[in-house]
Amino acid sequence: MSGHSKWANIKHKKGKMDALRGKVTTKIGRELTVAARMGGADPTGNMRLKLALQKAKENNIPKDNIQRAIQKGLGSSDGSNYEELVYEGYGPAGVAVMVEVMTDNRNRTAADVRHLFSKYSGNLGESGCVSWMFDKKGLFIIEKVATIDEEELMMLSLEAGADDFKVEDNEFEITVEPDHFYSFQEVLEKNGIKTSVAEITMIPQTTVALAADDATRMMKLMDALEEHDDVQEVYANFDIPEDLM
């Protein structure tokens, strides 16, 4: 596993999302507000809102909080000054990093992100410097269990429109085109297959293998960026051996 799928697994296994519960709630609430403002309150015709609602459900955000965030977006009284930006740069050993932010102060956020890159042996680059190394995909990670037959899952996935099917030591990694995300998710649910990760993300085309010191710095950079209030998502193309996690 590498890049963003590796990071998704690290957060899942270490309970990172629980540790950042307060910030996660704030970030998802902000996403709900902006999604509703841009596309309305009906998730059927608003894929962005549908994704945000799924994140809210996965993180056990109370329904009242969800409704308040959506109403803010519909009223345009709050959230209308948020600006969405993508910062691109390089981490230790030339790892490509993309940072999606939502901010009401571009200068403050740019300074903060630049500082974090520099602090952990990286540097912020120009727009477009690394985005070409990533593809937007729907990502599903399924843990290997006795009830799942590898060949049956592979055939089911390919028939449901999967782009790629990879087998790792303890899990299956499946990617689909973003437009097929929900239809593929429905196929898995109908067949009783649970996922540990199900999201639309940026998948790196190639990866950079990191040794001990660079791996430590890279993890610290990812951690620091994830914890920043204005950062919504972070993607990178690193590969770290299991024994260094």
Side-chain angles (χ1 to χ4, degrees), residues 105-125:
N105 188 324
R106 174 195 286 244
N107 292 334
R108 178 200 66 214
T109 303
D112 288 350
V113 171
R114 188 180 301 277
H115 170 71
L116 291 175
F117 269 90
S118 299
K119 184 177 181 179
Y120 297 107
S121 305
N123 61 282
L124 198 61

Side-chain angles (χ1 to χ4, degrees), residues 175-196:
T175 55
V176 302
E177 288 300 317
D179 290 347
H180 297 157
F181 180 82
Y182 288 109
S183 60
F184 190 87
Q185 189 174 45
E186 287 176 2
V187 170
L188 293 180
E189 290 174 352
K190 286 179 181 178
N191 285 272
I193 299 172
K194 295 182 179 180
T195 58
S196 59

Side-chain angles (χ1 to χ4, degrees), residues 49-189:
L49 179 61
K50 192 171 184 178
L51 281 170
L53 287 169
Q54 178 170 310
K55 282 186 181 179
K57 182 180 179 181
E58 290 172 352
N59 286 276
N60 299 314
I61 294 178
K63 289 183 179 180
D64 288 346
N65 292 33
I66 294 173
Q67 288 303 314
R68 278 198 298 271
I70 291 175
Q71 287 304 314
K72 285 180 182 179
L74 295 177
S76 296
S77 59
D78 186 27
S80 57
N81 59 337
Y82 283 130
E83 186 176 8
E84 295 180 279
L85 303 167
V86 178
Y87 294 105
E88 302 178 37
Y90 301 91
V95 170
V97 183
M98 292 180 63
V99 186
E100 295 181 353
V101 307
M102 197 177 292
T103 178
D104 57 1
N105 188 324
R106 174 195 286 244
N107 292 334
R108 178 200 66 214
T109 303
D112 288 350
V113 171
R114 188 180 301 277
H115 170 71
L116 291 175
F117 269 90
S118 299
K119 184 177 181 179
Y120 297 107
S121 305
N123 61 282
L124 198 61
E126 297 294 326
S127 177
C129 68
V130 302
S131 58
W132 60 272
M133 301 182 195
F134 295 83
D135 295 314
K136 190 173 186 179
K137 297 286 184 179
L139 171 67
F140 297 88
I141 296 177
I142 301 166
E143 294 182 4
K144 284 186 178 180
V145 294
T147 55
I148 296 179
D149 179 270
E150 178 181 324
E151 187 172 346
E152 289 181 1
L153 178 60
M154 181 175 68
M155 293 305 297
L156 177 69
S157 299
L158 294 176
E159 288 173 2
D163 283 347
D164 197 13
F165 183 97
K166 294 181 181 178
V167 182
E168 301 295 333
D169 291 338
N170 300 307
E171 58 204 7
F172 305 102
E173 177 185 338
I174 306 166
T175 55
V176 302
E177 288 300 317
D179 290 347
H180 297 157
F181 180 82
Y182 288 109
S183 60
F184 190 87
Q185 189 174 45
E186 287 176 2
V187 170
L188 293 180
E189 290 174 352

